[in-house]
Amino acid sequence: KQANNKKGDFKVHNNKRPSIMRHSHKEGSGTYDKKYRIVGTPDYMAPEILNPEKYPQACNEKALDWWSMGVILYEFLVGIPPFNDSTREGIFDNIRNLRMDWPEIGYDEDCITPEAVDLIKKMLDPNPNRRLGARGAQEIKNHKFFEST
């Protein structure tokens, strides 16, 4: 096996970042097959990892990181991953369709604040080019969720 990374491929960093790896299998002198393999934890994968054909120009690692951070923030505040399912295929379907359950929104103890919901939704924008944080961390820092910090 030989891995051929090309523009638009995602690489594995410390075996933690979700990625798409291209593998070419050679027989003699010609390449006869290309296969794709997704590497990473299903709950944290961004839509562009699952559907690279939908966003072929999306190779912004910052946008990938902010997607994962949005998932982590939801999980931290709610207690379960946002796209939770009993199967990997179910998780992927939930991510592709942005299907997630929200707790009650408000300022009571068992609620999630409107500011938190807004931040998470913007970090989980399925379009990596519009995703909050894709143009830098200052976008995140300026969000009203962090106003009092």
Side-chain angles (χ1 to χ4, degrees):
K1 280 186 186 177
Q2 175 184 338
N4 296 320
N5 291 329
K6 298 178 182 169
K7 185 176 180 182
D9 287 354
F10 296 92
K11 299 175 185 172
V12 176
H13 296 280
N14 299 326
N15 293 324
K16 292 182 182 175
R17 181 183 303 281
S19 66
I20 296 172
M21 300 292 289
R22 296 177 192 262
H23 297 279
S24 297
H25 303 275
K26 293 191 176 193
E27 184 175 272
S29 61
T31 300
Y32 67 90
D33 189 23
K34 287 195 180 211
K35 296 189 179 194
Y36 297 89
R37 182 179 74 161
I38 296 176
V39 179
T41 305
D43 293 291
Y44 301 94
M45 288 189 182
E48 62 268 28
I49 295 294
L50 301 175
N51 296 322
E53 66 282 350
K54 191 169 181 178
Y55 298 104
Q57 304 302 319
C59 58
N60 183 342
E61 289 186 9
K62 288 179 184 177
L64 286 173
D65 291 340
W66 290 119
W67 172 276
S68 296
M69 193 63 197
V71 171
I72 291 166
L73 181 58
Y74 178 98
E75 188 172 359
F76 181 73
L77 294 173
V78 176
I80 59 169
F83 306 107
N84 195 35
D85 194 85
S86 59
T87 67
R88 181 177 10 184
E89 292 76 22
I91 293 168
F92 291 164
D93 185 57
N94 289 342
I95 291 169
R96 285 185 189 105
N97 295 294
L98 210 59
R99 195 176 305 117
M100 55 199 283
D101 294 323
W102 290 97
E104 188 176 338
I105 299 169
Y107 296 99
D108 292 334
E109 188 175 324
D110 292 334
C111 296
I112 187 169
T113 67
E115 294 81 9
V117 170
D118 185 69
L119 176 61
I120 292 167
K121 284 183 175 181
K122 288 178 178 175
M123 293 172 81
L124 298 181
D125 188 319
N127 183 331
N129 301 314
R130 289 191 317 242
R131 190 171 302 143
L132 192 67
R135 288 161 298 283
Q138 198 59 45
E139 288 184 323
I140 305 289
K141 292 177 183 179
N142 291 340
H143 190 275
K144 58 188 169 188
F145 178 79
F146 295 107
E147 225 170 55
S148 63
T149 58

